[in-house]
Amino acid sequence: MNDSPKPIEAFSAKATCGATTTTPTYDALEFSGGGTSHPAVKGLQPSVIQPGQRFFALVNLAPQPSGCAWQGKVAGVIYADGTYDGEESAVRDLQARRAGIAAALQYWNNVQLLGHEQTVSANGPNHAETLSQDDLAKTWTYTCRDQPSVCAYWSGRRKVDQDVALGMKHNAQLGPYLDRWSAKFEADIAFKTLEPIFPSPITERDANSTFSTAR
């Protein structure tokens, strides 16, 4: 439940049961559309959580051998106006994941703009899947433990690369899809406001990359 006077765009939760901890997150910028589905809701629930709105998210809190009870809390929140609340580390990781998504979108938009449609059509799924696996390798346990923001960044990149690979396998028109997703970032005040406060943990930027050198 959003009990604040401001719309919420993203949040990070923390659930603990004995020695086990899970940190589910939600972000309105993780997808191109304007709503999300949930079994408890008819139709789509708005992607931005308005004041007083109840938002449903799926989290797997499996029973533990010790029989402990899960204890949960909201660790960090990003509001639509660019302010935030909660643990600074949680908000930094949310922003890092956003930066990863934005960088991957820029990469694939550059691929399209540079006229590599035929190359991408022929090799795109394999190429996107290779990038996705490369992203995954950067989110191994030790990275997430020692550099959680770096891990979050690459998990954001992997999200986009996976979606692109899946779309290419089904011969989907990725141009409009990527354009809609990119437009959400371009119009998002919170992402731009928090970028200088929580800069990307990765120095790599794809703004001027080419298809062959972006990665």
Side-chain angles (χ1 to χ4, degrees):
M1 171 70 76
N2 182 4
D3 58 3
S4 76
K6 296 183 286 189
I8 292 173
E9 281 192 358
F11 65 81
S12 175
K14 184 180 293 184
T16 303
C17 184
T20 302
T21 299
T22 183
T23 54
T25 63
Y26 167 79
D27 196 331
L29 292 182
E30 283 199 8
F31 48 90
S32 65
T36 62
S37 61
H38 188 279
V41 180
K42 281 189 175 182
L44 295 177
Q45 53 184 350
S47 58
V48 176
I49 310 167
Q50 298 299 325
Q53 179 187 344
R54 185 179 297 277
F55 184 85
F56 293 89
L58 289 173
V59 181
N60 182 19
L61 302 179
Q64 298 298 298
S66 65
C68 60
W70 284 97
Q71 303 295 321
K73 69 173 184 176
V74 176
V77 169
I78 293 178
Y79 297 108
D81 64 358
T83 57
Y84 61 92
D85 198 2
E87 300 173 12
E88 190 171 288
S89 60
V91 178
R92 180 181 296 108
D93 293 348
L94 285 171
Q95 181 68 9
R97 181 170 167 82
R98 288 181 158 200
I101 293 172
L105 288 172
Q106 182 66 67
Y107 171 80
W108 288 109
N109 280 323
N110 285 345
V111 169
Q112 292 191 106
L113 291 173
L114 290 169
H116 292 286
E117 289 85 355
Q118 291 183 344
T119 300
V120 174
S121 178
N123 304 308
N126 291 336
H127 177 61
E129 185 59 36
T130 297
L131 294 183
S132 174
Q133 292 300 315
D134 182 51
D135 300 336
L136 179 62
K138 296 183 176 76
T139 63
W140 287 338
T141 302
Y142 71 89
T143 304
C144 294
R145 181 193 65 209
D146 299 336
Q147 298 177 295
S149 291
V150 174
C151 179
Y153 173 91
W154 287 108
S155 72
R157 292 202 71 137
R158 182 171 183 248
K159 160 69 175 168
V160 179
D161 290 341
Q162 283 183 311
D163 285 3
V164 169
L166 182 62
M168 287 179 177
K169 287 177 182 177
H170 291 86
N171 298 314
Q173 294 295 319
L174 288 174
Y177 172 72
L178 293 173
D179 288 344
R180 285 195 305 272
W181 203 349
S182 297
K184 288 184 69 172
F185 273 86
E186 291 167 3
D188 195 83
I189 295 172
F191 177 65
K192 296 176 182 177
T193 301
L194 293 176
E195 198 167 21
I197 301 173
F198 301 110
S200 170
I202 302 297
T203 57
E204 169 196 6
R205 291 287 184 172
D206 287 359
N208 299 313
S209 301
T210 66
F211 181 68
S212 60
T213 63
R215 300 295 289 244

